[in-house]
Amino acid sequence: MTVVALHTQALVLPEAATYLELLGRSLHAARLSNAFPERRPLQQTLETLAESLRLGLHSELYLDSRAGLPNLASLTRALTDKSVARESLARLGDRAALEARADEAELFARLAAKHAYYEKLQDRELAPVDHQRVLLRRHDPASGTAAFRIELTKLDASGVYVRLQIELTQVASLWRRKVIDLDKDGETAAASEAFRAMVYRCADLDAEALFVRLHGSEGVSVERVQRGVIGPVLFALPTGSGVQVVRTAEATDDALGREWHAWSVGAGAAEHERPELLAAFATDSAALDIREERSNDPISPLLSHRLRDQEQARYRALRDRYPFKVFKDRKFVATPGLRTVAHATCAAAGTKNMIYDLQRG
């Protein structure tokens, strides 16, 4: 394990390839709904990172050492390679000509491989590090009422990958400053810069806190706030020698992190000759149409269960003003050696969670 900067660890081949392959298969195994960031772009980003390492275009894969996911530098690297793909192909020339000269020098073989990399990359849809859009759900010009869905996909400051969806309604008669603007045809919507900035800034809040924060905006009625989170990811990868093990460097100090630490120093060490990976996938919703408030997330209990007695009265008064309920859930994907960590985490919290198998390749 190489920690190269704050909350950053580097993996090299062959461990990086093993990690990317396991992480990619965990996304398939998790059966992600549309509450989460789109799987295919993230999958294609992982494949791009693996190919760039294999071809020697990059020597290290950078991960967030807390979340265990590729960090901003890695995701940006793939996006940058795609942005220069067309220019690079023009500079490299004809691929067939490069392949024909591969026997003359290793350089031509490498250039041909690089050409194939950029050629493939042109057609890939990669995971964004920050993408926000506003969708019009319905519009009643007579009453000046418009309903929108705001979607934000981003790599969070904590290192996890998040999709945030907000459904809200605004009434023109209550505006002094519009939160969302419609074009003159009433078909295209765009959030104001101030509102976009607030959503982006508050995206790391849980759904309950964000619901309250947004509901206080002038002229806005919030109906649903939903977060889908990929991560954290915990892994243990044997090195080529089979003696040292590369692990998630800074697992968070929560129920999952503590079970992970116990496994790492306990009987789980016997499995270290094989690669292991555990990925967590959480949903967190606050909405008017949720019937029962509860948390089935062993890592994140309801806020009401975490408050001290003196804070409960203030919290209840706040909730009485906003008639929504909260539901949290989390599922896991784990290789055989780390299923015990997921099971122990759920058992300690008394939750019943889906734990999907991830077979080693």
Side-chain angles (χ1 to χ4, degrees):
M1 173 180 64
T2 304
V3 177
V4 296
L6 180 65
H7 303 317
T8 303
Q9 68 184 108
L11 295 181
V12 299
L13 293 175
E15 293 79 31
T18 301
Y19 161 83
L20 288 168
E21 193 265 337
L22 285 173
L23 180 58
R25 288 200 287 114
S26 77
L27 297 177
H28 278 283
R31 305 171 190 178
L32 299 179
S33 69
N34 61 7
F36 292 92
E38 291 186 61
R39 179 190 61 80
R40 188 174 298 277
L42 186 53
Q43 186 83 46
Q44 295 196 348
T45 293
L46 299 180
E47 292 170 2
T48 297
L49 292 172
E51 288 179 25
S52 71
L53 290 167
R54 180 176 58 82
L55 295 173
L57 302 180
H58 304 289
S59 60
E60 294 180 314
L61 174 69
Y62 298 116
L63 308 181
D64 187 288
S65 52
R66 302 159 298 172
L69 286 169
N71 71 359
L72 179 62
S74 290
L75 296 187
T76 302
R77 173 193 293 172
L79 291 167
T80 301
D81 281 353
K82 179 175 179 176
S83 71
V84 302
R86 187 178 300 277
E87 177 186 340
S88 298
L89 288 170
R91 189 172 61 251
L92 288 167
D94 183 62
R95 177 179 167 188
L98 293 170
E99 291 174 339
R101 302 186 65 182
D103 292 337
E104 297 180 22
E106 184 182 347
L107 171 64
F108 292 109
R110 289 203 303 268
L111 290 176
K114 196 171 184 178
H115 191 291
Y117 168 78
Y118 284 122
E119 202 169 46
K120 186 182 296 183
L121 190 52
Q122 282 190 118
D123 299 323
R124 283 183 171 166
E125 180 187 0
L126 302 182
V129 295
D130 172 16
H131 177 65
Q132 186 175 152
R133 64 176 183 167
V134 179
L135 304 173
L136 178 64
R137 295 160 55 213
R138 59 183 180 273
H139 179 213
D140 181 4
S143 65
T145 300
F148 304 94
R149 181 169 69 249
I150 300 171
E151 297 179 354
L152 171 63
T153 300
K154 64 171 291 193
L155 185 66
D156 189 72
S158 64
V160 296
Y161 199 50
V162 179
R163 186 182 193 194
L164 172 64
Q165 298 180 78
I166 302 164
E167 294 183 0
L168 56 82
T169 300
Q170 67 176 11
V171 182
S173 61
L174 300 180
W175 296 340
R176 280 189 298 186
R177 294 181 180 178
K178 295 181 180 179
V179 166
I180 299 174
D181 286 310
L182 283 171
D183 66 4
K184 63 181 181 180
D185 297 320
E187 295 178 353
T188 304
S192 68
E193 285 301 318
F195 193 73
R196 284 172 60 90
M198 183 175 71
V199 170
Y200 187 87
R201 189 172 58 251
C202 298
D204 60 337
L205 298 176
D206 63 20
E208 179 176 3
L210 187 52
F211 191 107
V212 173
R213 180 71 176 269
L214 295 175
H215 208 72
S217 300
E218 183 182 39
V220 168
S221 174
V222 181
E223 299 157 31
R224 172 178 294 273
V225 174
Q226 180 173 273
R227 299 173 80 246
V229 181
I230 297 176
V233 173
L234 303 171
F235 58 85
L237 306 170
T239 62
S241 65
V243 178
Q244 294 183 328
V245 176
V246 179
R247 300 176 185 161
T248 307
E250 299 179 84
T252 52
D253 184 23
D254 55 21
L256 180 62
R258 290 189 288 274
E259 291 294 345
W260 157 256
H261 178 71
W263 178 88
S264 298
V265 300
E271 288 291 316
H272 280 172
E273 69 273 8
R274 298 178 179 179
E276 304 285 357
L277 184 140
L278 184 155
F281 304 87
T283 54
D284 175 18
S285 301
L288 302 178
D289 59 357
I290 294 176
R291 294 184 177 181
E292 179 188 1
E293 180 156 298
R294 70 187 185 96
S295 174
N296 192 49
D297 186 339
I299 302 174
S300 180
L302 293 172
L303 178 59
S304 59
H305 296 172
R306 291 177 276 156
L307 296 176
R308 295 188 293 269
D309 290 342
Q310 58 267 36
E311 297 172 321
Q312 286 288 348
R314 182 183 175 189
Y315 173 76
R316 284 194 297 269
L318 180 66
R319 285 297 303 272
D320 288 343
R321 294 170 53 195
Y322 304 106
F324 66 88
K325 289 186 171 60
V326 177
F327 179 73
K328 298 185 177 189
D329 198 10
R330 191 177 296 261
K331 55 187 174 181
F332 301 90
V333 175
T335 50
L338 282 176
R339 283 185 63 88
T340 55
V341 172
H343 279 298
T345 302
C346 300
T351 57
K352 296 182 179 180
N353 304 81
M354 295 298 301
I355 304 174
Y356 296 110
D357 289 325
L358 177 61
Q359 297 301 323
R360 307 182 189 94

